[in-house]
Every structure is written in structure tokens, then in C-alpha cells.
Amino acid sequence: MPKCPKCQKEVYFAEKKTSLGKDWHKLCLKCEKCNKILSSGQHAEHDGKPYCHQPCYSAMFGPGGCGRGGAESHVY
Ligand SMILES: [Zn+2]
Ligand SMILES: [Zn+2]
């Protein structure tokens, strides 16, 4: 049984989501930063962890870098 990279528990078929070459629980495949639930193959990745493209990945790693805050900034 594959283990979920997020919570380290076994992933059953019915709740499986495959992304980044790993099997995740549906509710565990979410952005490391903002906790938005992600769709497999439709998100960014850094260091093996899933991130949403917008705003997290582009804000942290994309061109333009960090420092763009605004109304949506709930950065820790
Ligand atoms: Zn999990
Ligand atoms: Zn995010």
C-alpha cells in the first residue's frame, strides 16, 4: 500500500490522487503554503511539495520573486 507523502498514512485506492509521481490522499494534495486543495497535475512543485501556481508558487519562486503582498497576503 503506498504511503501518502503528506501524512505518511496508507492511501487506499478510493481516496488516491496521483501527482508528482506519488500517491496522495485527496485531501492531502494541497498547497503547502495556503492549503488550497489541488488537482493532480495542475499544480506546481518545489522540493517534492505541492504548491498552487497562483499565488504561492509564483510569489515564492517565480519571476518577480517575493514581496508582492496585497489583499491576498496571508503569509506567515
Ligand atoms: Zn495523507
Ligand atoms: Zn497556495
Side-chain angles (χ1 to χ4, degrees):
M1 198 71 72
K3 292 246 173 48
C4 171
K6 174 80 180 170
C7 68
Q8 316 296 328
K9 295 193 182 124
E10 293 179 341
V11 183
Y12 296 94
F13 184 80
E15 56 190 4
K16 185 169 85 168
K17 226 177 198 182
T18 303
S19 204
L20 308 178
K22 293 176 179 147
D23 294 325
W24 307 70
H25 294 117
K26 282 177 191 163
L27 297 176
C28 285
L29 183 64
K30 55 189 181 181
C31 176
E32 277 285 316
K33 191 162 170 67
C34 71
N35 285 336
K36 184 159 72 186
I37 301 289
L38 303 168
S39 306
S40 55
Q42 304 203 335
H43 60 85
E45 175 269 332
H46 182 81
D47 213 11
K49 292 176 180 148
Y51 292 92
C52 62
H53 285 292
Q54 293 286 354
C56 298
Y57 188 86
S58 59
M60 289 189 296
F61 312 114
C66 46
R68 276 184 296 164
E72 288 188 325
S73 66
H74 37 248
V75 183
Y76 300 120

